[in-house]
Amino acid sequence: MTSEALQNRIKTRPFVFDTAAAARAWELLEAVKRDLDEDAIRLLTAVFSVSPYLARLSTLDPERLTRLLTVSPDASFTHILKSVEDAAHAAETRDALKHSLRRAKQEAAVLIALCDIGGVWDLSRVTQSLSDFADAAMEAALGWLWRDSGEAGQVKGVFVVAMGKLGAGELNYSSDIDLIALFDPETMPAGRADPKKRAIKLTQGLVDILQDQTTQGYVFRTDLRLRPDPGSSAIVVSVQGAERYYEALGQNWERAAFIKARVAAGDAELGQAFLTGLQPFIWRKHLDYAAISDIHAIKRQIHAGGRFSDFSIEGFNVKLGRGGIREIEFFAQTQQLILGGRALELRTAGTQAALACLAVGGFASEAARADLSAAYVFLRNVEHRLQMIADEQTHSLPQTADDIDRVARFMGYEETPDFRKDLLAHVQSVHGHYTDLFAEEEPLSGEEGSLVFTGVEDDPDTLETLRRARFQRPADAAARIRGWHAGRVRATRSARARQILTRLMPAIVKNMSEADDPDTVLVRFDTFLQGLPAGVQVFSLFYAKPDLLSLYVRLLGFGPRFGPYLAQNPHLLDAMLDASFFTPPPEAHDLDAEFQDLLEVSGEHVEAALDAARIWGREAAFRVSGALITGRIDVTEAGRGFSRLAETVVRGLAGLAEGEMRRRHGGLPEGDFAILALGRFGGGEMTATSDLDIMCVYDAPEGAVSDGEKPLDAHSYYTRLVRRLIAAVAAPTAEGVLYEIDMALRPSGGAGPMAVRLGAFQKYYRGEAWVWEKMALTRARVISGGAALRGRLADDIKEILTGVRDAAETLGEVRAMRARIAAAKPANDLWDVKLAPGGLVDIEFIAQGLQLVHAAAHPGCLSARTQDALAALASAGVLSDEDAKCLNEAGHFMQTVLHFSRLAQEGRFDAAAAGAAFRRALAFAAGRDGPEALEASLTAAQLEVLEIYRRIVDS
């Protein structure tokens, strides 16, 4: 086409907008203006008024602009490509090459824009020219780097595959270029450097030359994220590694991406061989239903088939929005993937060419082809105009009416309403055909919007869906989920697992959105997936049992203590399938039998037995915790359950320790050994994190010695036995610690013997023991030992507690002990329900003090469980029914708070950090209407308890 023909085709364009900007440009181009005709001046004035970017490029080099307007466009473009090739050989330094390529890019940008805007080149020629320039720039840069590295001739063993729009020859005006860089160490010339390091250096150099932002701008922004597993692979991948990846882990969206792949630079022969070898991965002759569903799930929106009554042109994304370019591309690509294994004519890269092939083959109607092709041209033109304004990689229309007017004029519309009308008609048409294609498919989106996790880019609608689902970091969440779909965890490395996961994602996101902190729950779910050896069975289970998924996600969100433990022990999911899982643990004799069977399996391998005991204990405690959280049991049953588990473990490991002692030192035929549970353990009120308060008592004749090869006297024997027991329970193994053990309540505390002789026990508590030690004895319960010793201890404890005491003196000691605790361990706030004034310690001290004062007259008031003791004291008439009821209700309420807080957090409980969802769950468990009512009730309960305490103990 001649320059005259170019100028003759330029029509007066009605999009002059910013005349001041155009005037400033012409001030710099006065000399050029004299050589142009009226039509060319009108065109440039319009361009300058709407595109600061093109105005700047035009005024940078007036002579260049004159040449572009006076030489045939085809000849000009050929000259530009030749200048790129020449620069690769003439440049002595990388900076010189960068300079030349950026100059060429500026010239190409102005030429292509003017040919586009002036109607000289159609969309196909515009996008192909942009793609041809990108190819030339890459070939020049890679060739220069090859020679600069000391190699001669053509690049060997390294090539670049163009993907996406560049691969299809459909590059847009300000597009990134999607590339995959590959190398073959066997083909690369032998050299001193490792082939991979050389390939990485070449690729880094290519990226630097193309996208380094210098004073003259950049050539192309490059994106290498379409390579195999970009999150963990180098920027260049070996051919062999890529082939292994696509064979084992390649996803359907990657198959779709390779429809447009072609070798753009480097070793063309090697690159073509690679793409040829990849054809069986891309084109499958046989696809099952799940694979087809997964292909359709590459892009699925909740509003499929919906009306456009809420459509707004302001801010509309012409690429990713509903009815946009992406839907046209996926209309073609999804059918190509499904049908292209047999219909060879569908194996074409270009979008419009693919639409035409679908129509010719009868796979799409001619009307659909015509509508989608027309919309594609229109939307790509809008996209180009948006990007020409400021060379921004944008696909979204402006948000203001004035800026929409600017775009409408740039598109050639005299009236903005006409532009709006045409845009709406096109996107409605596209979305209608797109949703018809998927009309029979099950929607794979959440109730709140799109959930698209394919590819490497964030889907804007998906990010918005995640925001509405209360994810605070939606981009991080999307990236993590994309990693699952990319097979970065073992559970998702099979195609089948990823297909089921795709169908599960709406339910997963919905359940996480109901948690107090969806982001944290997502991280814990990720930890859970990483612990799975495979995912198909688990995902299928979740899909078949949505209530199980809901429960699992709910439990993951239950505080920083409980959730991580559940996530890090994926085997617990199997246990959750048992209908009895979240029910109170069996009675003590059944638990003992189960635990004993477990220990016997380990035989004489003590370490294996201890590890097995820890695994069993954690799982059993988790069952109780889960039953409490899900409301299947209350805190009273939970306390009993945790305590029964502890008894079982202590009895079983005591037997293990005794067996070890007998093997090493023989036995004491006439000796016996008993364990007393004290504190919350003795009272059957343990929480998930309670220590074990125990006391060990033995009875043996004077001078008794064990009968083994290494005999020990009774004191040494039972002391070593206790140490073995403590180590078995509390020492860390590969599976952690079962319980912390506290023996401070034994006679003389830390200074006393670890194993107490029965006679010393009797003497101490009848004479030397402090009142607070006898208070502790009210919660003592014998949990192991021979029947004779257990009976004697029970009788001794009852005798000690039923001794006659002075009421005022005893209650004075109770007050003093409470004051010492308050001074040593002040309560943090009202949520510190154990130590707060009016808290659980005060209730326990009321019960214990009254038992010590009145047990002589009313021995029936003795009970290790605080709740039962208060009821017995009321029955004996030493505590009013009203006070007993108040104390028991307050105690149950605060026990609920204590149990839940221990499950939710480690260490000091922080109600604010626990989150609103936790407070809501706690309020429900405590029978309160909500978090505010919960706090108010807790305050009131503690005040009532404190008033009773002062009236009974302080009076």
Side-chain angles (χ1 to χ4, degrees):
M1 180 179 292
T2 65
S3 59
E4 290 80 13
L6 168 62
Q7 294 183 19
N8 288 336
R9 297 246 340 237
I10 296 172
K11 306 300 181 184
T12 301
R13 310 293 284 182
F15 53 80
V16 174
F17 196 87
D18 190 341
T19 55
R24 287 193 296 272
W26 281 122
E27 288 177 5
L28 300 172
L29 294 169
E30 191 61 38
V32 175
K33 192 173 184 180
R34 290 194 297 268
D35 297 329
L36 301 178
D37 63 18
E38 185 175 344
D39 281 341
I41 292 172
R42 285 173 178 164
L43 171 66
L44 290 175
T45 299
V47 170
F48 296 160
S49 75
V50 293
S51 174
Y53 171 65
L54 291 174
R56 182 178 66 82
L57 292 188
S58 297
T59 57
L60 283 176
D61 190 339
E63 291 184 5
R64 178 174 63 194
L65 180 63
T66 301
R67 183 172 66 254
L68 293 176
L69 291 168
T70 56
V71 177
S72 161
D74 291 341
S76 291
F77 190 66
T78 300
H79 171 76
I80 293 170
L81 295 183
K82 183 64 168 61
S83 72
V84 170
E85 181 182 351
D86 292 343
H89 294 280
E92 295 183 358
T93 65
R94 183 183 294 193
D95 286 343
L97 178 62
K98 287 182 178 181
H99 176 82
S100 297
L101 291 183
R102 281 152 182 74
R103 289 274 300 171
K105 171 64 182 296
Q106 293 172 2
E107 189 167 350
V110 174
L111 174 65
I112 295 171
L114 293 179
C115 288
D116 184 0
I117 297 166
V120 178
W121 289 347
D122 64 10
L123 175 67
S124 178
R125 178 62 195 278
V126 167
T127 57
Q128 187 62 60
S129 297
L130 289 165
S131 303
D132 289 345
F133 180 81
D135 287 357
M138 281 192 292
E139 192 68 67
L142 193 58
W144 187 92
L145 290 163
W146 183 256
R147 291 184 291 275
D148 186 60
S149 70
E151 301 292 350
Q154 299 297 314
V155 177
K156 295 292 292 181
V158 180
F159 61 94
V160 177
V161 175
M163 307 289 287
K165 288 185 170 60
L166 176 58
E170 297 175 339
L171 203 60
N172 62 37
Y173 199 75
S174 296
S175 178
D176 288 358
I177 53 175
D178 293 307
L179 309 174
I180 298 178
L182 298 114
F183 76 102
D184 178 13
E186 300 299 322
T187 307
M188 291 181 70
R192 287 175 296 175
D194 173 79
K196 183 175 182 179
K197 291 181 179 178
R198 293 161 66 195
I200 289 174
K201 187 174 182 181
L202 285 170
T203 305
Q204 290 172 332
L206 175 65
V207 171
D208 174 61
I209 290 172
L210 293 179
Q211 77 172 18
D212 182 30
Q213 185 79 32
T214 72
T215 55
Q216 293 182 311
Y218 62 96
V219 186
F220 288 100
R221 292 176 293 262
T222 59
D223 191 337
L224 296 168
R225 291 178 298 165
L226 289 182
R227 69 186 184 274
D229 196 10
S232 60
S233 62
I235 61 172
V236 61
V237 181
S238 73
V239 169
Q240 297 79 7
E243 290 172 341
R244 287 193 298 269
Y245 169 83
Y246 292 120
E247 180 181 356
L249 297 174
Q251 300 176 68
N252 280 318
W253 73 264
E254 290 173 305
R255 293 176 55 213
F258 269 99
I259 291 175
K260 298 184 176 183
R262 63 180 176 81
V263 182
D267 191 333
E269 182 179 352
L270 177 65
Q272 190 55 52
F274 168 75
L275 291 179
T276 300
L278 216 57
Q279 294 304 295
F281 163 69
I282 304 169
W283 308 109
R284 308 283 179 85
K285 288 187 177 181
H286 304 286
L287 292 168
D288 61 19
Y289 176 80
I292 293 173
S293 296
D294 189 56
I295 291 168
H296 284 181
I298 290 173
K299 178 73 172 177
R300 186 71 53 77
Q301 301 213 9
I302 185 62
H303 301 294
R307 296 178 178 270
F308 271 76
S309 57
D310 61 343
F311 177 81
S312 173
I313 189 174
E314 283 75 15
F316 176 70
N317 189 310
V318 298
K319 176 183 178 182
L320 301 176
R322 194 190 323 169
I325 296 168
R326 184 60 60 85
E327 288 191 358
I328 302 172
E329 293 173 334
F330 283 152
F331 180 95
Q333 289 173 356
T334 52
Q335 294 186 87
Q336 286 177 287
L337 285 182
I338 294 170
L339 304 169
R342 294 179 178 273
L344 304 186
E345 66 274 18
L346 296 182
R347 300 182 184 185
T348 183
T351 301
Q352 289 182 285
L355 292 171
C357 291
L358 287 168
V360 170
F363 305 114
S365 68
E366 174 57 28
R369 183 211 63 79
D371 290 346
L372 294 174
S373 292
Y376 184 77
V377 172
F378 179 87
L379 294 172
R380 288 300 303 271
N381 281 331
V382 174
E383 181 182 53
H384 282 181
R385 298 303 179 270
L386 292 172
Q387 294 177 350
M388 285 177 184
I389 292 173
D391 189 33
E392 293 177 342
Q393 190 193 11
T394 182
H395 310 280
S396 297
L397 288 159
Q399 296 283 356
T400 66
D402 285 347
D403 286 336
I404 294 289
D405 287 342
R406 180 190 296 266
V407 175
R409 300 298 176 274
F410 205 177
M411 283 290 293
Y413 285 85
E414 294 187 14
E415 301 294 336
T416 302
D418 293 336
F419 170 64
R420 291 174 178 267
K421 178 181 177 181
D422 286 352
L423 176 63
L424 179 59
H426 281 302
V427 297
Q428 283 181 316
S429 172
V430 169
H431 197 59
H433 290 299
Y434 183 73
T435 53
D436 285 346
L437 181 65
F438 299 125
E440 302 301 320
E441 289 296 309
E442 176 187 349
L444 298 180
S445 302
E447 296 176 359
E448 300 302 321
S450 298
L451 291 172
V452 179
F453 299 107
T454 55
V456 295
E457 295 181 350
D458 288 329
D459 177 74
D461 290 341
T462 296
L463 294 184
E464 183 56 34
T465 300
L466 293 174
R467 288 189 190 95
R468 287 196 296 269
R470 299 175 47 254
F471 285 87
Q472 298 301 307
R473 299 178 297 279
D476 291 347
R480 190 179 295 273
I481 296 171
R482 275 201 304 275
W484 301 344
H485 288 279
R488 290 187 195 148
V489 295
R490 284 181 300 171
T492 61
R493 285 180 186 162
S494 74
R496 181 62 178 156
R498 295 193 295 270
Q499 289 160 4
I500 303 172
L501 178 63
T502 297
R503 304 174 79 83
L504 265 179
M505 280 316 304
I508 291 173
V509 171
K510 180 179 183 298
N511 280 292
M512 289 181 179
S513 73
E514 296 171 358
D516 188 59
D517 186 354
D519 298 86
T520 297
V521 175
L522 177 63
V523 171
R524 291 174 186 161
F525 195 84
D526 180 62
T527 301
F528 161 67
L529 291 186
Q530 291 183 38
L532 294 176
V536 171
Q537 183 177 1
V538 170
F539 296 154
S540 298
L541 179 63
F542 280 151
Y543 193 74
K545 297 181 178 294
D547 289 346
L548 179 63
L549 172 63
S550 178
L551 173 62
Y552 192 79
V553 172
R554 177 185 171 192
L555 294 178
L556 283 179
F558 198 85
R561 180 182 175 275
F562 192 80
Y565 171 72
L566 180 59
Q568 291 160 10
N569 292 273
H571 67 278
L572 291 173
L573 183 62
D574 292 333
M576 289 170 64
L577 294 174
D578 187 338
S580 66
F581 184 74
F582 287 137
T583 57
E587 293 301 320
H589 64 277
D590 294 325
L591 274 179
D592 285 348
E594 180 181 333
F595 190 63
Q596 195 59 45
D597 288 344
L598 177 80
L599 295 179
E600 288 176 0
V601 169
S602 302
E604 295 185 2
H605 300 286
V606 176
E607 290 184 4
L610 296 183
D611 284 340
R614 280 151 175 74
I615 294 171
W616 182 89
R618 282 200 303 269
E619 183 172 320
F622 173 78
R623 287 173 180 252
V624 179
S625 301
L628 177 60
I629 292 171
T630 55
R632 288 160 170 83
I633 61 175
D634 68 4
V635 291
T636 300
E637 293 173 296
R640 292 188 182 118
F642 286 125
S643 300
R644 281 208 298 273
L645 292 177
E647 288 176 41
T648 294
V649 167
V650 170
R651 276 195 295 264
L653 294 183
L656 189 70
E658 286 186 88
E660 280 291 288
M661 287 297 296
R662 282 192 294 271
R663 280 192 290 272
R664 290 175 178 268
H665 304 286
L668 283 164
E670 298 182 40
D672 200 359
F673 173 77
I675 301 172
L676 278 68
L678 300 157
R680 301 186 70 82
F681 185 17
E685 299 169 346
M686 287 179 64
T687 69
T689 61
S690 291
D691 294 348
L692 301 186
D693 290 302
I694 64 172
M695 185 189 306
C696 298
V697 180
Y698 71 92
D699 185 25
E702 288 291 336
V705 177
S706 63
D707 56 11
E709 293 182 3
K710 297 179 180 180
L712 295 172
D713 63 80
H715 175 72
S716 299
Y717 187 91
Y718 287 114
T719 297
R720 290 194 185 188
L721 174 58
V722 172
R723 286 177 177 154
R724 283 187 178 276
L725 170 62
I726 294 173
V729 174
T733 73
E735 293 295 337
V737 172
L738 266 171
Y739 297 98
E740 298 291 342
I741 287 185
D742 188 344
M743 299 188 71
L745 294 179
R746 69 184 188 269
S748 301
M754 298 186 74
V756 183
R757 186 183 290 273
L758 177 62
F761 172 88
Q762 296 166 332
K763 178 180 178 183
Y764 183 82
Y765 280 101
R766 286 171 179 153
E768 304 173 36
W770 297 88
V771 169
W772 69 264
E773 291 177 299
K774 294 176 181 177
M775 290 169 61
L777 207 59
T778 63
R779 307 186 76 183
R781 190 162 49 88
V782 187
I783 61 172
S784 78
L789 180 57
R790 291 173 68 123
R792 290 185 64 183
L793 278 171
D795 291 343
D796 286 341
I797 291 171
K798 183 175 181 180
E799 179 188 340
I800 292 164
L801 295 180
T802 54
V804 177
R805 294 177 181 83
D806 180 86
E809 181 182 342
T810 300
L811 294 178
E813 290 293 334
V814 171
R815 287 195 304 274
M817 185 61 192
R818 183 66 181 96
R820 286 195 293 272
I821 292 175
K825 299 179 180 179
N828 298 304
D829 51 33
L830 81 164
W831 296 102
D832 191 352
V833 293
K834 185 175 179 181
L835 297 173
L840 290 171
V841 168
D842 285 348
I843 296 174
E844 292 165 2
F845 275 27
I846 291 171
Q848 292 166 17
L850 289 177
Q851 286 179 93
L852 290 181
V853 170
H854 298 286
H858 305 285
C861 71
L862 292 175
S863 176
R865 189 187 304 275
T866 303
Q867 188 177 17
D868 294 343
L870 291 170
L873 288 165
S875 296
V878 298
L879 181 68
S880 72
D881 290 340
E882 182 180 354
D883 284 349
K885 180 182 178 182
C886 177
L887 292 173
N888 265 326
E889 288 180 352
H892 189 273
F893 177 23
M894 285 186 272
Q895 291 280 13
T896 302
V897 174
L898 182 67
H899 273 272
F900 273 72
S901 65
R902 293 290 192 265
L903 286 173
Q905 293 179 352
E906 297 278 6
R908 175 183 177 272
F909 178 64
D910 185 336
F918 169 82
R919 292 195 296 275
R920 287 193 298 270
L922 176 54
F924 178 80
R928 268 57 179 183
D929 291 336
E932 291 183 1
L934 176 73
E935 186 166 345
S937 295
L938 184 57
T939 300
Q942 290 176 355
L943 288 173
E944 289 175 350
V945 170
L946 188 60
E947 189 276 328
I948 295 172
Y949 177 86
R950 287 170 175 166
R951 177 159 36 84
I952 293 176
V953 179
D954 286 351
S955 60

